Amino acid sequence: MNDFDDDAADELTLHYRRASAADSSRPSQQTRAAISAQARKVMAYRTTRAADEAALAQMEASPAANDSRWRLRAVAGLAAVGLAGLLAMQAIRNTPGPDLPRATIVAPLTVQAPQTPEPVQAPFREEREVAASPGPLVSGGAMNSVQSAEKSVGADAVSPAAFPGNAMGTARPAASTSPAAGAPAPVAADSRAVPAANASTPRRLEQKLASAPTEDAPAFEIVTLATGDQRTDRHVMHLQRTRQARATLMTPNVTLKTLVGLAYDVQDSQVIGGPDWADKSTFGITLAMDQSVLSGALAGEPKVRLMLRKVLADRFGLELHREFRPLRAAALVVSEQGAKIRLSETRPGEWTGLKFAPHQLLGRGAPIRRLANDLFMLTGTTIVDMTKLDQTYDFAAQWSTDPGRPNFNWTTSWTGDGPGRTVWPGAPAPPNVSLEAALERQLGLTLQPGIFDVEVLVIDAANQPVTN
Amino acid sequence: MDTVLASAAIMPLMGDATADETLMQRYARGDAFAFDELYRRHELKVWRFIQRSVANRASADELMQEVWFSVARQAPRYVPTAKFTTWLFTLARHRVIDAHRMQRPHDSIDESRQQTAQLVEQLSTAPSENPASQVQARQEREALISAVQRLPAEQREAFLLQAEAELSIADIAKATGVNFETAKSRLRYARAALKTMLQELA
């Protein structure tokens, strides 16, 4: 027997509603702002991501990149690797690797020009506003050795800088629950459409992809796929132009997760799941490709990124999906005193890039999101760029020795030959200044630890590849 | 006549440009303002549902974010097979359950009491006919809010889903994953318990 009308509110309910209506409590302003911002980030990313998927689908509709042609091309490719490999491995072996944070180093691609200089198309220079940086030239542990190798072949900048991308997210209080839990019935279980919160790197990149819908799919051949070279105590990727009108990509000692991070433009920490070996076993991969990869609207890193996705799918049987996960990370934000960096005043031909040396960093014409990426490598913590600083900047900072941090040498160059002694502030490290304090006092940027809603790539399936 | 009623019932889900379901679809297609409108409409209902359930300001803020983040995230896959509010409060309920399971360390009884007191203080500032009735109204609100928060979880959520989310019993059943009779029973028990508690305090 009903003692109340099923759906009609009784007096008690009405009384409650009156009491509740008088309640002036609201979500905090921070919460409301975060929700609004997140809704827009998600929407923006969803829009641009569709363009990325379209470009990828177009590429995948082309002939398989590692079809039988690779056997013929491999011969030429191996010859090319002979020269280029010598240069690259020299840089690697001369590197004092043990000090580097092995598990977190993800080097931007290095592009080297042929010994006989030729006009190199640099689309990312031309589209600097879109790519936010003109393309890394050098990156790796021993800056000097890598630089010397580059100079010996007359290196020039070709590839873009958005590699790897930085994490973006929305600040939220600690101890959040899993967003994956509890999807209600009206929504399908598919999580591929879960968008990233990244409002900078992927969006810009995918705009670029969308702008070149007719670009030919890049072709590549896997020249070698072997177990990682344990003598190389760091993860290095070199994209090099060779004399034989080819380009090679070398990753001598990388884990699957690092490869995924490189292929999908995220920090290592944003790649989760998968088999145990995904972040333990290392692989050495050398890809050979036509030099056309270095030109055209998709030149450089975006093209290679798409190639790597193909490699991962074909050789590792990689299956993954995107979703948001609350990650313990650090937000890079402008401090209350305001940013103390200045808009870049570098002129054409001058060095632009980011250099980390023990206790010091120097940026010239550098986007902050790339600073965030490198801070991730230095700290091992996912860095969420929430500064909203989307120009290129000049800055420098120094901090004290921290026994808990690796002796970090890292240079990414986009233009020019390198910072050199004339521009690198060689002053001794100040005492009692932590990295965090240096960022705040000298750059006006603050690292705020917390839990953030960060897009991650979840490895659903992967197979140990057959090496050759 | 039945046909007309059925069509009218379907209309909000299918064609009304201002229906929640339509706004959700518009947001999925890239209309950020549609999300703003959805949020404006349901902010307080969701907020109060969460706040009454966890009785902790910090947790409520956190859960509020998670719920609306989920709304944004799942918009492309949202299919209006049910009322938007049913779906929305299903999300909110799941987040609340997650929060209780995790037993967040910063949930404290003291804070809960303090916030209840703050709520009462806020309520007491509402305009009233005279000081005496103002005090009486404040005491009634205090008692009622406190009583709702002391309800067993299943009864509380059923009551809040009806009182705050304005869901029908059928929708409450759908949102909580139980059959109609169970949802109805929980509501009945909730109301009975509230009345008992209020009588004891009277």
Side-chain angles (χ1 to χ4, degrees), chain A residues 376-416:
Chain A
F376 159 68
M377 298 177 215
L378 179 60
T379 62
T381 300
T382 305
I383 305 294
V384 184
D385 176 16
M386 298 180 74
T387 61
K388 299 181 181 176
L389 299 171
D390 56 2
Q391 305 293 312
T392 56
Y393 302 90
D394 297 340
F395 50 83
Q398 299 178 26
W399 56 92
S400 308
T401 302
D402 183 349
R405 286 225 164 87
N407 203 11
F408 195 69
N409 264 314
W410 187 269
T411 301
T412 301
S413 298
W414 297 301
T415 60

Side-chain angles (χ1 to χ4, degrees), chain A residues 41-224:
Chain A
K41 283 180 186 174
V42 165
M43 190 187 70
Y45 190 81
R46 186 183 303 137
T47 302
T48 54
R49 182 158 186 73
D52 183 31
E53 295 297 335
L56 187 58
Q58 184 185 16
M59 187 194 81
E60 290 173 344
S62 302
N66 57 345
D67 61 14
S68 57
R69 292 175 298 168
W70 80 269
R71 299 177 192 281
L72 296 175
R73 294 186 179 181
V75 177
L78 283 169
V81 169
L83 175 62
L86 281 175
L87 296 171
M89 294 309 291
Q90 179 182 0
I92 293 166
R93 288 171 182 166
N94 289 344
T95 300
D99 290 338
L100 297 170
R102 179 175 174 179
T104 57
I105 289 180
V106 181
L109 298 175
T110 298
V111 178
Q112 292 187 326
Q115 283 189 328
T116 303
E118 63 180 42
V120 177
Q121 296 186 42
F124 286 89
R125 278 182 176 170
E126 297 163 4
E127 298 175 15
R128 184 169 179 165
E129 300 77 12
V130 176
S133 61
L137 175 62
V138 185
S139 116
M143 169 245 172
N144 289 337
S145 60
V146 176
Q147 272 194 323
S148 63
E150 287 173 334
K151 287 177 180 176
S152 67
V153 294
D156 197 355
V158 177
S159 62
F163 214 88
N166 66 310
M168 279 292 295
T170 302
R172 55 167 62 188
S176 59
T177 58
S178 168
V187 176
D190 175 27
S191 58
R192 278 188 62 83
V194 173
N198 193 331
S200 56
T201 304
R203 179 160 59 91
R204 292 181 176 189
L205 172 61
E206 286 154 14
Q207 283 172 346
K208 182 181 297 298
L209 293 172
S211 69
T214 59
E215 180 73 13
D216 290 337
F220 67 91
E221 308 89 26
I222 295 180
V223 177
T224 62

Side-chain angles (χ1 to χ4, degrees), chain B residues 9-51:
Chain B
I10 292 171
M11 275 296 289
L13 296 182
M14 300 300 293
D16 185 351
T18 60
D20 291 341
E21 295 76 16
T22 306
L23 289 173
M24 190 65 174
Q25 291 175 323
R26 280 169 50 190
Y27 171 66
R29 292 194 297 267
D31 182 355
F33 296 107
F35 183 92
D36 294 342
E37 175 61 17
L38 275 175
Y39 182 76
R40 186 194 63 77
R41 287 184 187 181
H42 301 291
E43 177 192 46
L44 288 182
K45 293 177 182 175
V46 175
W47 170 252
R48 289 168 183 160
F49 173 80
I50 292 172
Q51 195 185 32

Side-chain angles (χ1 to χ4, degrees), chain A residues 274-406:
Chain A
D276 290 342
W277 56 265
D279 55 1
K280 293 181 179 136
S281 302
T282 61
F283 304 94
I285 299 177
T286 301
L287 304 182
M289 62 204 80
D290 193 273
Q291 268 195 16
S292 62
V293 73
L294 302 178
S295 61
L298 284 172
E301 286 182 9
K303 259 186 180 174
V304 174
R305 193 175 300 136
L306 292 174
M307 290 180 184
L308 281 174
R309 295 185 193 183
K310 288 283 290 179
V311 172
L312 293 172
D314 294 345
R315 300 299 297 269
F316 288 82
L318 179 71
E319 294 177 14
L320 49 76
H321 69 271
R322 295 175 187 262
E323 64 181 56
F324 275 110
R325 291 278 179 93
L327 291 186
R328 194 162 295 283
L332 185 66
V333 299
V334 175
S335 65
E336 292 181 358
Q337 290 72 34
K340 298 177 181 176
I341 57 180
R342 65 177 189 274
L343 284 172
S344 179
E345 297 173 350
T346 53
R347 290 168 294 188
E350 288 185 345
W351 176 76
T352 59
L354 260 175
K355 174 176 170 53
F356 277 80
H359 334 307
Q360 305 174 88
L361 71 86
L362 174 70
R364 288 288 182 270
I368 297 304
R369 59 187 177 76
R370 291 304 299 255
L371 173 64
N373 289 342
D374 283 6
L375 287 173
F376 159 68
M377 298 177 215
L378 179 60
T379 62
T381 300
T382 305
I383 305 294
V384 184
D385 176 16
M386 298 180 74
T387 61
K388 299 181 181 176
L389 299 171
D390 56 2
Q391 305 293 312
T392 56
Y393 302 90
D394 297 340
F395 50 83
Q398 299 178 26
W399 56 92
S400 308
T401 302
D402 183 349
R405 286 225 164 87

Side-chain angles (χ1 to χ4, degrees), chain B:
Chain B
M1 186 63 183
D2 287 342
T3 303
V4 173
L5 288 174
S7 298
I10 292 171
M11 275 296 289
L13 296 182
M14 300 300 293
D16 185 351
T18 60
D20 291 341
E21 295 76 16
T22 306
L23 289 173
M24 190 65 174
Q25 291 175 323
R26 280 169 50 190
Y27 171 66
R29 292 194 297 267
D31 182 355
F33 296 107
F35 183 92
D36 294 342
E37 175 61 17
L38 275 175
Y39 182 76
R40 186 194 63 77
R41 287 184 187 181
H42 301 291
E43 177 192 46
L44 288 182
K45 293 177 182 175
V46 175
W47 170 252
R48 289 168 183 160
F49 173 80
I50 292 172
Q51 195 185 32
R52 307 278 186 266
S53 300
V54 299
N56 176 285
R57 171 83 201 199
S59 292
D61 262 322
E62 183 178 344
L63 294 175
M64 186 76 174
Q65 283 192 43
E66 290 179 0
V67 169
W68 287 97
F69 283 6
S70 291
V71 171
R73 201 161 51 222
Q74 300 187 29
R77 288 168 283 135
Y78 171 74
V79 180
T81 55
K83 283 173 61 181
F84 172 76
T85 48
T86 305
W87 179 73
L88 175 64
F89 279 91
T90 304
L91 277 178
R93 174 178 174 268
H94 287 170
R95 294 297 176 271
V96 168
I97 291 173
D98 286 346
H100 285 304
R101 283 179 183 154
M102 290 184 68
Q103 295 180 329
R104 302 178 183 208
H106 52 276
D107 281 352
S108 76
I109 295 174
D110 288 343
E111 186 177 0
S112 174
R113 286 174 179 163
Q114 183 183 5
Q115 289 181 344
T116 300
Q118 289 172 347
L119 170 63
V120 170
E121 188 64 28
Q122 291 165 352
L123 295 176
S124 69
T125 61
S128 184
E129 294 296 326
N130 56 63
S133 63
Q134 189 175 22
V135 171
Q136 183 180 358
R138 186 194 66 187
Q139 290 173 339
E140 289 175 359
R141 289 165 185 156
E142 176 184 4
L144 182 51
I145 296 294
S146 177
V148 168
Q149 292 178 333
R150 290 204 309 274
L151 284 173
E154 291 175 343
Q155 294 177 25
R156 183 178 60 231
E157 75 177 11
F159 180 80
L160 289 173
L161 286 172
Q162 185 180 59
E164 289 288 1
E166 300 181 23
L167 297 187
S168 66
I169 294 180
D171 287 336
I172 293 171
K174 192 179 294 182
T176 55
V178 299
N179 62 40
F180 182 90
E181 289 303 322
T182 302
K184 189 173 171 181
S185 295
R186 288 177 181 176
L187 260 181
R188 183 184 298 119
Y189 285 126
R191 291 178 180 177
L194 284 174
K195 287 175 182 172
T196 301
M197 283 190 277
L198 293 174
Q199 286 169 355
E200 289 172 353
L201 293 171

